[in-house]
Amino acid sequence: MTAPTNAGVGTGITSTPGAAAVPPPGSPNDMTTHQKKRPRVPSGHRRLLTRRDRVTLGLMAGVPTILHVALVWLTALASVALAFTTWDGIGFDSIKWVGLHNFSELFSSNPQFWPAVEHNVIWFVVLILVPTPMGLFLAVQLDKKIRFSRVYQTAFFLPVVVSMAVIGFVWQLVYNPDTGLINSLIGANEPGHYIDWIGDPDLNLWAILVAASWRHTGYMMILYLAGLKGVDPSLREATALDGANEWQTFRHVIFPTLRPTNTVVLVVTIIEALRAFDLVFVFNKGAQGTELLSILVTNNIIGESSRIGYGSAIAVVLLVISLAVIIPYLIATFRKERRA
Amino acid sequence: MSTVSALGKQHTPLRPARILLHTFLTVTALAWLAPLLWALFAALRPYAETSDKGYVSWPDKLSLDNFTDAFEQSDMLHYFGNTLIIAVPAVLLTLFLSSCVAFYLSRFDFRVNLFLLLVFTAGNLLPQQVIITPLYRMYLLIDLPGITMSGKLYDSALGLVLIHVAFQSGFCAFVLSNYMRSLPHELTEAALVDGASVWRLYWQIVLPLCKPAMAALATLLSIWIYNDFFWAIVLISTGENMPITSALNNLSGQYFTDPNLVAAGALLTAIPTLIVYFVLQRQFVSGLTLGANKG
């Protein structure tokens, strides 16, 4: 399936040694600022790169690129192509072009699709409204050069280090209807009084989101701590001289300077919301109330039914949403870098 | 206000505001650790006792029995071994290949490179589910008789190593090329004029200077790859071949009959990442912000 396209891009890649043969520009400025449109090429340097050097460079750039492009981008493209077909996955002759059929079925008659989209959106909204401000708040407090800062940081950050799957198991121990922490504490662990945090379709998504937020807070805290380190101390001094209080300083001085961090936080949070999978899979395999787009795609592979075209159509929805976030973000980032 | 007065000295004396802050942070930190501590508490108690007295009760005796039982019953050592076979080559290969491409991207012609860098960086940001269906089919199609146990790329450690390398090299190439661009250009320039080969520039000049970034990325990658759940769940079919994190999912149904044993198994699985984190905390955190702060 991917073989012909693979070869096409492959030749594109292997042609990069030609590009590599362009010698490094004369002044160090050219490389670090990238301001010059055309790098000036002192002809003397061209001879510095031997044939062997060019081959080496070609391999150094080519091998990782081929691997990355073949396994990540060509498969993403293949997902797009497969989304317009039906295929049982057995023989290539069973691939049939069906146009937009998979999408129309997905949008109109799949009972799981819109709930999954809704859950992904809820996932994002919760992450951005609860753990993100919480992480920012903790970062601001820990940035005050207080005692035991390291200890606090470690406590908040620990969930980020532990795998999502393990977090899923740990929180199941908290939510378990008859042996879990919560029900034991509130006395709901007697038969007949159970609160089924994991099984109740009205509760389970929120229960999982508590666990996801628990982890996300630490992640956001670290990103904001790093951002706060970049705030110029003289800014704070100046506002202190002006008699601003702590909140005013934060509101008018610190927060505006955190803008780059806020962008990263927003992108990271959207991506995390789209990628959400492990926690839900361990909890209840995304059944009854916890459907997510990622779960629907995966069910097409490890479930009994292998409807590849259909699964790919869901993947394409995920791809389009992700690219709508990733591309503007990267363009802005790289443009800024070029100006810098 | 305290922010400002804190600037001069390392710590401010304990004033009421500070005491309040410490109280808040201590309470929150304990609440944050509560789920993990609860798992530890459950894991340390025998099932018989908890089923008799309930889980929220004073323990009669605490022991490591659940940990040893979980470890032995489920043959965890075997699954840790599986992880090692996947993670070690994956981390080393990712670092090697992404530093190669970063070297190229940061030191040579820039126009194609910007696009290439975008391709790498964007690839790492895609949700894995976008690529999994064709990848899964492709892995089933690629025959590797005699090379992998399954005779295919599917259900093999090699297959997992490849996808980890391909996926993670996006992030590492981005971070490393930023890092390499900050190195003074005269270094390689002079060596090139002196007739050093490109490989020598990379291996003997640039790479040694990248040690801090490489260490940070190695820490990050080890934890990420160790923690991988999704790739292994989909691309490995034989339970025996699974790395530890995803094996836990099978084990909890097969061997672990009581919640205390599940707790012990889950905590055992988390121990290696916790050790790496405590030992290399600084590298881990700096690695995480190396990429993010560029935005």
Side-chain angles (χ1 to χ4, degrees), chain A residues 26 31 53 68 73 75 79 89 141 146-147 152 154 157 161 163 173 179 214 236 264 275 308 322 336-337, chain B residues 3 18 21-22 26 32 38 55 107 119 124 126-127 130 134 137 166 181 189 198 227 245 281 284 292 295:
Chain A
M31 290 300 281
D53 281 342
H68 180 78
W73 286 106
T75 44
S79 275
Q141 303 312 315
I146 53 169
R147 264 171 265 246
Y152 295 131
T154 305
F157 196 65
V161 183
S163 94
L173 299 168
T179 64
W214 175 67
R236 291 183 207 232
V264 173
R275 274 189 184 171
I308 289 165
S322 334
K336 199 187 300 159
E337 218 162 277
Chain B
T3 325
R18 262 304 131 101
L21 178 59
H22 274 288
T26 307
W32 233 251
W38 172 250
Y55 278 76
R107 298 269 134 178
V119 165
N124 184 252
L126 290 178
V130 165
R137 287 290 140 196
R181 224 177 295 149
E189 200 90 323
V198 163
N227 282 345
T245 309
Q281 201 168 8
F284 182 76

Side-chain angles (χ1 to χ4, degrees), chain B residues 7-264:
Chain B
L7 282 171
K9 305 163 248 169
Q10 193 58 31
H11 300 297
T12 41
L14 284 175
R15 285 181 293 104
R18 262 304 131 101
I19 294 171
L20 196 70
L21 178 59
H22 274 288
T23 315
F24 167 76
L25 285 172
T26 307
V27 171
T28 320
L30 282 176
W32 233 251
L33 291 176
L36 291 169
L37 293 175
W38 172 250
L40 183 65
F41 183 59
L44 286 171
R45 305 177 70 188
Y47 182 61
E49 184 191 308
T50 48
S51 64
D52 194 38
K53 293 170 64 178
Y55 278 76
V56 180
S57 58
W58 194 252
D60 290 335
K61 99 183 204 316
L62 297 173
S63 75
L64 294 173
D65 290 353
N66 283 319
F67 288 97
T68 48
D69 284 356
F71 193 78
E72 282 160 13
Q73 273 183 41
S74 60
D75 198 11
M76 265 197 174
L77 206 56
H78 169 82
Y79 297 100
F80 278 121
N82 286 350
T83 291
L84 215 58
I85 292 169
I86 295 158
V88 172
V91 170
L92 294 178
L93 257 177
T94 307
L95 286 178
F96 172 67
L97 290 178
S98 56
S99 65
C100 278
V101 83
F103 171 75
Y104 170 82
L105 292 175
S106 62
R107 298 269 134 178
F108 296 93
D109 170 48
F110 202 73
R111 286 248 222 95
V112 196
N113 296 8
L114 191 64
F115 176 70
L116 208 57
L117 195 56
L118 273 169
V119 165
F120 270 96
T121 315
N124 184 252
L125 291 174
L126 290 178
Q128 289 95 319
Q129 286 79 14
V130 165
I131 65 174
I132 191 63
T133 308
L135 191 76
Y136 171 81
R137 287 290 140 196
M138 195 164 90
Y139 270 33
L140 277 173
L141 284 174
I142 297 177
D143 284 316
L144 295 169
I147 297 175
T148 62
M149 295 270 274
S150 59
K152 290 186 179 301
L153 206 47
Y154 177 67
D155 200 21
S156 73
L158 179 66
L160 282 191
V161 170
L162 283 179
I163 189 61
H164 281 308
V165 173
F167 205 72
Q168 300 296 356
S169 60
F171 175 74
C172 295
F174 173 71
V175 170
L176 284 173
S177 72
N178 276 332
Y179 195 87
M180 286 180 190
R181 224 177 295 149
S182 70
L183 301 175
H185 220 69
E186 291 84 348
L187 277 173
T188 45
E189 200 90 323
L192 199 65
V193 174
D194 287 346
S197 69
V198 163
W199 181 256
R200 268 191 71 175
L201 292 186
Y202 161 75
W203 191 250
Q204 292 189 342
I205 297 174
V206 173
L207 212 50
L209 290 171
C210 289
K211 258 185 206 154
M214 296 285 260
L217 286 175
T219 313
L220 210 56
L221 282 176
S222 315
I223 292 185
W224 280 345
I225 294 175
Y226 179 94
N227 282 345
D228 164 58
F229 181 74
F230 177 69
W231 296 125
I233 282 283
V234 178
L235 298 175
I236 298 283
S237 59
T238 316
E240 282 286 285
N241 294 346
M242 284 206 172
I244 181 76
T245 309
S246 40
L248 186 67
N249 193 48
N250 285 0
L251 297 177
S252 70
Q254 278 177 1
Y255 301 95
F256 299 162
T257 43
D258 62 70
N260 305 43
L261 215 51
V262 173

